[in-house]
Amino acid sequence: MPSDIHAFDRLKKYPQAARYWPALRDFVARARPHELHRINPLYLAERLRWGRNETLDVLTYAVAENLWHLHWEAYCPACGGLLQEDEHLGALHHHQVCRACGWEGEIALDRELAVEASVSERVRRLPLSTREDPDFRRKVQSRLGRLPALALVNRPLFRELLGAQTLPSDQSLGVESMVVFFSDLKGSTALYERLGDAQAYRLVREHFTVIFDAVEAEGGAAVKTIGDGVMGTFFEPQAALRGITAALRGLDEVNRREDLRGEDRLRLKVGVHMGACIVVTLNHRLDYFGTTVNVAARLSDLSRGAEVVVSEALLQDAAARRLARSLGEIQPMETTLRGLSRPITAYRLRV
Ligand SMILES: [Zn+2]
C-alpha cells in the first residue's frame, strides 16, 4: 500500500478536530523523518504551537483513524534506562527488573510510564536509516522531559475512543498519585419535582457545563457523570482546589442569572481526595478504582452543599493549604467513613 498524506481527510468527520488536523497533516508532509518517529507529543505541541491537551486530543483522533500509532514505554526510575516498550499498553509487565542497574519494582502510569507517537506507514513511510536520531531524542528529552502515560490516559476523549483497546478488561495499571473528586447536585430530586422535568433538566445540564469548563480550565478531566453527579481527576492539589472552587462560583452565577432562590438554588456537594488508584477498563472505557476513589465519593456525601470536603492528604502540601485558605473559609472535622476502619481528618471549604 503506498503512503498517502490524504488519509488525513478522514479526520474531517470529527468537528472538534477541524481547526487542527490540516496543520498536523502539513507538519507530517514536511517534517524530517526523526520528527515523526517515536516522538514526544510535547514536541508536536511545541512545533504546532498547540496546548498540551489539544495536542493530545488531536493525536487521539489521528490514532483512532490509524494515521498515527502510540508507543508505551517503561523507564527505570533509578537509572533512566528503557525497561520495556510496546505498541500495546496492556503488553507491559507490571513488575519490572532493570537489567542495567538492578532496580526492581511495580511500574505506575504517572511515574515510570511514558508515551510517544509515530506516524503510520500508510500516511508517510519513514526510511529506517533516517528515522532514528539519538542526538535529537536526547535534546527533546532534556528540554521537554517525557510525557507521562497518565497525561494521555486521563483525557476523556482518549478514554472514550481508545480506552478499551488500550487496556484489556482483565488488566489494571497503577497510578501513584492522583486527585479524585466527586460532585453531586444537592436536592436535585426535589428540583425536578418543583420546576418540572424540562426546566430542571435544563439547569442540570447547565450545571454540568459549568463543572466541565472549570475542571478543563485547570487541566483536570471530568471522567464520567453518575446521575446528576460528576467524577473527575486532577494531577495536582492546587489545580483541583482552583478548578472545584471555580465550579462552585460558576454555579452561584447560574443561580443569580436564573434568579434561583432558597431551595431552588443549585448547590454542589463536592468531596476531594488524593492518593494511589488503579486504572481498569470497564464498560469499554478506562475508569479509576481504589480506596482513594471510594474516599472521595464518601467525602462528597458529607458536604452540606455549596461546600467542598477536602481530605487532609490534599492539604498536606503547604502551597495547597495556603491556596485553600485564600479561597475560602476552612473548618476541620474528624469523621469515620463507612467501610473504612480508621477515622480521618477532613476540612470543609466554603467559598
Ligand atoms: Zn535502571
Side-chain angles (χ1 to χ4, degrees), residues 2-315:
S3 54
D4 178 15
I5 196 78
H6 297 294
F8 269 93
D9 286 355
R10 265 181 272 153
L11 295 181
K12 278 181 184 164
K13 70 176 173 214
Y14 302 108
Q16 292 91 334
R19 278 173 55 206
Y20 302 103
W21 68 262
L24 183 63
R25 177 197 58 201
D26 295 348
F27 176 74
V28 168
R30 278 197 328 263
R32 294 163 293 169
H34 61 258
E35 292 177 292
L36 300 171
H37 177 70
R38 282 189 59 189
I39 193 73
N40 183 340
L42 297 173
Y43 179 77
L44 286 180
E46 185 183 73
R47 286 298 308 270
L48 293 162
R49 298 176 188 208
W50 294 342
R52 181 171 93 162
N53 287 347
E54 56 198 342
T55 305
L56 295 180
D57 285 355
V58 177
L59 199 53
T60 297
Y61 287 124
V63 171
E65 292 298 326
N66 294 315
L67 306 172
W68 285 72
H69 58 263
L70 299 171
H71 305 263
W72 304 92
E73 301 155 352
Y75 288 94
C76 173
C79 74
L82 184 66
L83 295 165
Q84 193 190 350
E85 187 239 333
D86 202 283
E87 290 187 18
H88 300 281
L89 181 60
L92 296 186
H93 308 299
H94 289 209
H95 193 87
Q96 297 273 351
V97 180
C98 179
R99 265 181 272 174
C101 77
W103 175 86
E104 184 173 353
E106 300 288 314
I107 53 171
L109 271 171
D110 52 342
R111 208 175 44 198
E112 289 81 19
L113 280 170
V115 64
E116 291 187 322
S118 293
V119 85
S120 152
E121 280 218 336
R122 70 199 306 174
V123 176
R124 184 171 159 192
R125 197 159 289 156
L126 306 172
L128 273 173
S129 54
T130 53
R131 69 183 198 185
E132 303 272 3
D133 183 342
D135 195 40
F136 170 77
R137 278 186 75 77
R138 246 191 324 275
K139 280 182 188 153
V140 169
Q141 201 219 309
S142 71
R143 195 172 70 248
L144 302 172
R146 293 194 180 101
L147 181 74
L150 184 65
L152 181 61
V153 167
N154 198 40
R155 296 293 303 154
L157 181 72
F158 177 86
R159 287 198 315 279
E160 187 187 321
L161 290 184
L162 302 172
Q165 68 190 71
T166 298
L167 202 58
S169 57
D170 55 346
Q171 290 190 29
S172 68
L173 267 170
V175 175
E176 186 180 54
S177 175
M178 181 127 100
V179 181
V180 180
F181 76 87
F182 279 81
S183 77
D184 194 19
L185 197 54
K186 184 173 170 133
S188 61
T189 312
L191 189 77
Y192 278 95
E193 202 175 69
R194 277 196 310 278
L195 301 179
D197 286 349
Q199 167 74 344
Y201 181 65
R202 186 181 64 79
L203 290 172
V204 168
R205 289 204 34 162
E206 193 157 351
H207 124 279
F208 279 137
T209 305
V210 166
I211 297 175
F212 294 167
D213 289 351
V215 168
E216 177 88 0
E218 291 296 338
V223 173
K224 61 183 172 187
T225 58
I226 308 152
D228 294 333
V230 176
M231 178 225 171
T233 56
F234 288 92
F235 291 113
E236 52 100 16
Q238 293 186 61
L241 290 168
R242 279 193 303 265
I244 292 166
T245 52
L248 259 60
R249 291 202 190 95
L251 279 196
D252 266 349
E253 277 290 318
V254 177
N255 286 330
R256 267 195 296 277
R257 197 169 61 232
E258 300 280 340
D259 199 25
L260 298 170
R261 295 155 193 266
E263 287 295 292
D264 285 346
R265 287 171 61 81
L266 301 176
R267 279 161 302 163
L268 208 58
K269 298 168 61 171
V270 189
V272 53
H273 186 38
M274 181 173 132
C277 59
I278 59 167
V279 178
V280 304
T281 297
L282 187 76
N283 300 327
H284 310 291
R285 289 180 73 138
L286 290 178
D287 206 342
Y288 300 93
F289 285 89
T291 300
T292 300
V293 179
N294 298 340
V295 168
R298 299 268 192 273
L299 292 177
S300 84
D301 292 340
L302 295 176
S303 166
R304 297 168 298 195
E307 179 182 79
V308 192
V309 178
V310 184
S311 77
E312 188 161 43
L314 214 79
L315 297 187

